[in-house]
PDB file of all heavy atoms in Angstrom:
ATOM      1  N   TYR A  93     162.862  92.077-153.906  1.00  0.00           N
ATOM      2  CA  TYR A  93     161.854  93.134-153.662  1.00  0.00           C
ATOM      3  C   TYR A  93     160.646  92.599-152.904  1.00  0.00           C
ATOM      4  O   TYR A  93     160.065  93.310-152.052  1.00  0.00           O
ATOM      5  CB  TYR A  93     161.434  93.704-155.007  1.00  0.00           C
ATOM      6  CG  TYR A  93     160.084  94.402-155.037  1.00  0.00           C
ATOM      7  CD1 TYR A  93     159.970  95.741-154.694  1.00  0.00           C
ATOM      8  CD2 TYR A  93     158.939  93.703-155.418  1.00  0.00           C
ATOM      9  CE1 TYR A  93     158.731  96.369-154.738  1.00  0.00           C
ATOM     10  CE2 TYR A  93     157.698  94.338-155.468  1.00  0.00           C
ATOM     11  CZ  TYR A  93     157.604  95.671-155.113  1.00  0.00           C
ATOM     12  OH  TYR A  93     156.387  96.280-155.143  1.00  0.00           O
ATOM     13  N   SER A  94     160.212  91.398-153.203  1.00  0.00           N
ATOM     14  CA  SER A  94     158.906  90.956-152.751  1.00  0.00           C
ATOM     15  C   SER A  94     158.815  90.713-151.247  1.00  0.00           C
ATOM     16  O   SER A  94     157.730  90.836-150.657  1.00  0.00           O
ATOM     17  CB  SER A  94     158.468  89.701-153.495  1.00  0.00           C
ATOM     18  OG  SER A  94     159.320  88.605-153.171  1.00  0.00           O
ATOM     19  N   LEU A  95     159.920  90.381-150.591  1.00  0.00           N
ATOM     20  CA  LEU A  95     159.826  90.106-149.166  1.00  0.00           C
ATOM     21  C   LEU A  95     159.553  91.358-148.348  1.00  0.00           C
ATOM     22  O   LEU A  95     158.574  91.390-147.576  1.00  0.00           O
ATOM     23  CB  LEU A  95     161.099  89.381-148.684  1.00  0.00           C
ATOM     24  CG  LEU A  95     160.943  88.554-147.411  1.00  0.00           C
ATOM     25  CD1 LEU A  95     161.972  87.430-147.359  1.00  0.00           C
ATOM     26  CD2 LEU A  95     161.053  89.393-146.150  1.00  0.00           C
ATOM     27  N   PRO A  96     160.311  92.441-148.486  1.00  0.00           N
ATOM     28  CA  PRO A  96     159.913  93.678-147.829  1.00  0.00           C
ATOM     29  C   PRO A  96     158.582  94.231-148.370  1.00  0.00           C
ATOM     30  O   PRO A  96     157.839  94.875-147.604  1.00  0.00           O
ATOM     31  CB  PRO A  96     161.050  94.644-148.070  1.00  0.00           C
ATOM     32  CG  PRO A  96     161.839  94.056-149.226  1.00  0.00           C
ATOM     33  CD  PRO A  96     161.624  92.577-149.141  1.00  0.00           C
ATOM     34  N   ALA A  97     158.265  93.968-149.629  1.00  0.00           N
ATOM     35  CA  ALA A  97     156.966  94.410-150.162  1.00  0.00           C
ATOM     36  C   ALA A  97     155.826  93.677-149.464  1.00  0.00           C
ATOM     37  O   ALA A  97     154.748  94.255-149.233  1.00  0.00           O
ATOM     38  CB  ALA A  97     156.898  94.167-151.674  1.00  0.00           C
ATOM     39  N   ALA A  98     156.043  92.420-149.105  1.00  0.00           N
ATOM     40  CA  ALA A  98     155.016  91.671-148.370  1.00  0.00           C
ATOM     41  C   ALA A  98     154.798  92.274-146.975  1.00  0.00           C
ATOM     42  O   ALA A  98     153.668  92.327-146.483  1.00  0.00           O
ATOM     43  CB  ALA A  98     155.427  90.215-148.235  1.00  0.00           C
ATOM     44  N   PHE A  99     155.898  92.733-146.357  1.00  0.00           N
ATOM     45  CA  PHE A  99     155.782  93.442-145.071  1.00  0.00           C
ATOM     46  C   PHE A  99     154.904  94.704-145.225  1.00  0.00           C
ATOM     47  O   PHE A  99     153.995  94.964-144.440  1.00  0.00           O
ATOM     48  CB  PHE A  99     157.168  93.805-144.539  1.00  0.00           C
ATOM     49  CG  PHE A  99     157.190  94.689-143.334  1.00  0.00           C
ATOM     50  CD1 PHE A  99     156.476  94.364-142.198  1.00  0.00           C
ATOM     51  CD2 PHE A  99     157.913  95.862-143.370  1.00  0.00           C
ATOM     52  CE1 PHE A  99     156.466  95.207-141.090  1.00  0.00           C
ATOM     53  CE2 PHE A  99     157.935  96.722-142.269  1.00  0.00           C
ATOM     54  CZ  PHE A  99     157.215  96.364-141.125  1.00  0.00           C
ATOM     55  N   GLY A 100     155.173  95.445-146.315  1.00  0.00           N
ATOM     56  CA  GLY A 100     154.386  96.651-146.578  1.00  0.00           C
ATOM     57  C   GLY A 100     152.932  96.321-146.871  1.00  0.00           C
ATOM     58  O   GLY A 100     152.014  97.008-146.416  1.00  0.00           O
ATOM     59  N   ALA A 101     152.713  95.255-147.660  1.00  0.00           N
ATOM     60  CA  ALA A 101     151.378  94.868-148.037  1.00  0.00           C
ATOM     61  C   ALA A 101     150.549  94.439-146.812  1.00  0.00           C
ATOM     62  O   ALA A 101     149.370  94.819-146.670  1.00  0.00           O
ATOM     63  CB  ALA A 101     151.402  93.750-149.066  1.00  0.00           C
ATOM     64  N   GLN A 102     151.153  93.675-145.939  1.00  0.00           N
ATOM     65  CA  GLN A 102     150.463  93.243-144.734  1.00  0.00           C
ATOM     66  C   GLN A 102     150.199  94.400-143.774  1.00  0.00           C
ATOM     67  O   GLN A 102     149.197  94.439-143.076  1.00  0.00           O
ATOM     68  CB  GLN A 102     151.257  92.154-144.018  1.00  0.00           C
ATOM     69  CG  GLN A 102     150.530  91.473-142.821  1.00  0.00           C
ATOM     70  CD  GLN A 102     149.532  90.426-143.293  1.00  0.00           C
ATOM     71  OE1 GLN A 102     149.845  89.259-143.398  1.00  0.00           O
ATOM     72  NE2 GLN A 102     148.305  90.858-143.572  1.00  0.00           N
ATOM     73  N   THR A 103     151.114  95.361-143.767  1.00  0.00           N
ATOM     74  CA  THR A 103     150.912  96.583-142.956  1.00  0.00           C
ATOM     75  C   THR A 103     149.724  97.357-143.472  1.00  0.00           C
ATOM     76  O   THR A 103     148.895  97.863-142.698  1.00  0.00           O
ATOM     77  CB  THR A 103     152.175  97.480-142.987  1.00  0.00           C
ATOM     78  OG1 THR A 103     153.295  96.737-142.467  1.00  0.00           O
ATOM     79  CG2 THR A 103     151.973  98.729-142.164  1.00  0.00           C
ATOM     80  N   ALA A 104     149.606  97.429-144.809  1.00  0.00           N
ATOM     81  CA  ALA A 104     148.506  98.174-145.412  1.00  0.00           C
ATOM     82  C   ALA A 104     147.184  97.441-145.313  1.00  0.00           C
ATOM     83  O   ALA A 104     146.118  98.069-145.229  1.00  0.00           O
ATOM     84  CB  ALA A 104     148.845  98.472-146.879  1.00  0.00           C
ATOM     85  N   ALA A 105     147.233  96.112-145.348  1.00  0.00           N
ATOM     86  CA  ALA A 105     146.002  95.311-145.349  1.00  0.00           C
ATOM     87  C   ALA A 105     146.101  94.186-144.322  1.00  0.00           C
ATOM     88  O   ALA A 105     146.186  93.012-144.687  1.00  0.00           O
ATOM     89  CB  ALA A 105     145.762  94.738-146.738  1.00  0.00           C
ATOM     90  N   PRO A 106     146.058  94.537-143.042  1.00  0.00           N
ATOM     91  CA  PRO A 106     146.245  93.490-142.000  1.00  0.00           C
ATOM     92  C   PRO A 106     145.159  92.439-141.967  1.00  0.00           C
ATOM     93  O   PRO A 106     145.370  91.341-141.427  1.00  0.00           O
ATOM     94  CB  PRO A 106     146.272  94.308-140.697  1.00  0.00           C
ATOM     95  CG  PRO A 106     145.558  95.579-141.022  1.00  0.00           C
ATOM     96  CD  PRO A 106     145.867  95.873-142.465  1.00  0.00           C
ATOM     97  N   GLU A 107     143.992  92.741-142.549  1.00  0.00           N
ATOM     98  CA  GLU A 107     142.878  91.806-142.514  1.00  0.00           C
ATOM     99  C   GLU A 107     142.941  90.739-143.626  1.00  0.00           C
ATOM    100  O   GLU A 107     142.190  89.772-143.619  1.00  0.00           O
ATOM    101  CB  GLU A 107     141.562  92.567-142.603  1.00  0.00           C
ATOM    102  CG  GLU A 107     141.221  93.102-144.001  1.00  0.00           C
ATOM    103  CD  GLU A 107     142.063  94.318-144.459  1.00  0.00           C
ATOM    104  OE1 GLU A 107     142.855  94.844-143.646  1.00  0.00           O
ATOM    105  OE2 GLU A 107     141.923  94.726-145.625  1.00  0.00           O
ATOM    106  N   ARG A 108     143.865  90.919-144.608  1.00  0.00           N
ATOM    107  CA  ARG A 108     143.902  89.994-145.740  1.00  0.00           C
ATOM    108  C   ARG A 108     145.012  88.952-145.559  1.00  0.00           C
ATOM    109  O   ARG A 108     145.989  89.210-144.866  1.00  0.00           O
ATOM    110  CB  ARG A 108     144.142  90.783-147.031  1.00  0.00           C
ATOM    111  CG  ARG A 108     143.020  91.724-147.352  1.00  0.00           C
ATOM    112  CD  ARG A 108     143.272  92.577-148.562  1.00  0.00           C
ATOM    113  NE  ARG A 108     143.312  91.817-149.793  1.00  0.00           N
ATOM    114  CZ  ARG A 108     143.479  92.361-150.993  1.00  0.00           C
ATOM    115  NH1 ARG A 108     143.610  93.684-151.117  1.00  0.00           N
ATOM    116  NH2 ARG A 108     143.501  91.612-152.071  1.00  0.00           N
ATOM    117  N   ARG A 109     144.819  87.815-146.180  1.00  0.00           N
ATOM    118  CA  ARG A 109     145.859  86.789-146.161  1.00  0.00           C
ATOM    119  C   ARG A 109     146.912  87.166-147.220  1.00  0.00           C
ATOM    120  O   ARG A 109     146.612  87.292-148.408  1.00  0.00           O
ATOM    121  CB  ARG A 109     145.297  85.385-146.481  1.00  0.00           C
ATOM    122  CG  ARG A 109     146.359  84.294-146.368  1.00  0.00           C
ATOM    123  CD  ARG A 109     145.755  82.914-146.459  1.00  0.00           C
ATOM    124  NE  ARG A 109     145.320  82.562-147.807  1.00  0.00           N
ATOM    125  CZ  ARG A 109     145.173  81.313-148.266  1.00  0.00           C
ATOM    126  NH1 ARG A 109     145.417  80.278-147.461  1.00  0.00           N
ATOM    127  NH2 ARG A 109     144.733  81.101-149.480  1.00  0.00           N
ATOM    128  N   VAL A 110     148.125  87.341-146.762  1.00  0.00           N
ATOM    129  CA  VAL A 110     149.266  87.679-147.642  1.00  0.00           C
ATOM    130  C   VAL A 110     150.038  86.387-147.916  1.00  0.00           C
ATOM    131  O   VAL A 110     150.469  85.715-146.981  1.00  0.00           O
ATOM    132  CB  VAL A 110     150.157  88.752-147.029  1.00  0.00           C
ATOM    133  CG1 VAL A 110     151.449  88.908-147.825  1.00  0.00           C
ATOM    134  CG2 VAL A 110     149.433  90.074-146.951  1.00  0.00           C
ATOM    135  N   ILE A 111     150.221  86.073-149.190  1.00  0.00           N
ATOM    136  CA  ILE A 111     150.997  84.913-149.599  1.00  0.00           C
ATOM    137  C   ILE A 111     152.192  85.390-150.387  1.00  0.00           C
ATOM    138  O   ILE A 111     152.038  86.010-151.458  1.00  0.00           O
ATOM    139  CB  ILE A 111     150.145  83.920-150.450  1.00  0.00           C
ATOM    140  CG1 ILE A 111     148.959  83.412-149.637  1.00  0.00           C
ATOM    141  CG2 ILE A 111     151.009  82.738-150.924  1.00  0.00           C
ATOM    142  CD1 ILE A 111     148.018  82.518-150.419  1.00  0.00           C
ATOM    143  N   LEU A 112     153.376  85.147-149.882  1.00  0.00           N
ATOM    144  CA  LEU A 112     154.616  85.532-150.536  1.00  0.00           C
ATOM    145  C   LEU A 112     155.293  84.309-151.143  1.00  0.00           C
ATOM    146  O   LEU A 112     155.473  83.299-150.466  1.00  0.00           O
ATOM    147  CB  LEU A 112     155.562  86.210-149.550  1.00  0.00           C
ATOM    148  CG  LEU A 112     157.028  86.356-149.977  1.00  0.00           C
ATOM    149  CD1 LEU A 112     157.156  87.304-151.172  1.00  0.00           C
ATOM    150  CD2 LEU A 112     157.876  86.837-148.819  1.00  0.00           C
ATOM    151  N   ILE A 113     155.646  84.392-152.438  1.00  0.00           N
ATOM    152  CA  ILE A 113     156.336  83.321-153.117  1.00  0.00           C
ATOM    153  C   ILE A 113     157.655  83.890-153.611  1.00  0.00           C
ATOM    154  O   ILE A 113     157.679  84.785-154.462  1.00  0.00           O
ATOM    155  CB  ILE A 113     155.513  82.720-154.276  1.00  0.00           C
ATOM    156  CG1 ILE A 113     154.111  82.357-153.796  1.00  0.00           C
ATOM    157  CG2 ILE A 113     156.208  81.511-154.878  1.00  0.00           C
ATOM    158  CD1 ILE A 113     153.175  81.922-154.928  1.00  0.00           C
ATOM    159  N   THR A 114     158.756  83.359-153.088  1.00  0.00           N
ATOM    160  CA  THR A 114     160.067  83.936-153.428  1.00  0.00           C
ATOM    161  C   THR A 114     161.104  82.851-153.594  1.00  0.00           C
ATOM    162  O   THR A 114     160.995  81.780-152.986  1.00  0.00           O
ATOM    163  CB  THR A 114     160.511  84.947-152.345  1.00  0.00           C
ATOM    164  OG1 THR A 114     161.774  85.516-152.725  1.00  0.00           O
ATOM    165  CG2 THR A 114     160.661  84.267-150.995  1.00  0.00           C
ATOM    166  N   GLY A 115     162.084  83.091-154.429  1.00  0.00           N
ATOM    167  CA  GLY A 115     163.163  82.121-154.612  1.00  0.00           C
ATOM    168  C   GLY A 115     164.142  82.225-153.475  1.00  0.00           C
ATOM    169  O   GLY A 115     164.212  83.218-152.724  1.00  0.00           O
ATOM    170  N   ASP A 116     164.958  81.169-153.301  1.00  0.00           N
ATOM    171  CA  ASP A 116     165.946  81.136-152.231  1.00  0.00           C
ATOM    172  C   ASP A 116     167.005  82.224-152.413  1.00  0.00           C
ATOM    173  O   ASP A 116     167.398  82.909-151.467  1.00  0.00           O
ATOM    174  CB  ASP A 116     166.590  79.763-152.081  1.00  0.00           C
ATOM    175  CG  ASP A 116     167.097  79.196-153.395  1.00  0.00           C
ATOM    176  OD1 ASP A 116     166.881  79.818-154.474  1.00  0.00           O
ATOM    177  OD2 ASP A 116     167.719  78.095-153.350  1.00  0.00           O
ATOM    178  N   GLY A 117     167.437  82.435-153.652  1.00  0.00           N
ATOM    179  CA  GLY A 117     168.434  83.475-153.905  1.00  0.00           C
ATOM    180  C   GLY A 117     167.898  84.853-153.627  1.00  0.00           C
ATOM    181  O   GLY A 117     168.570  85.703-153.014  1.00  0.00           O
TER     182      GLY A 117
END
């Protein structure tokens, strides 16, 4: 879930630093 959610979060807040932490699986 978190990888596409990071895309959405950065789209919503382009001025903020987005840090995504996800497992390889």
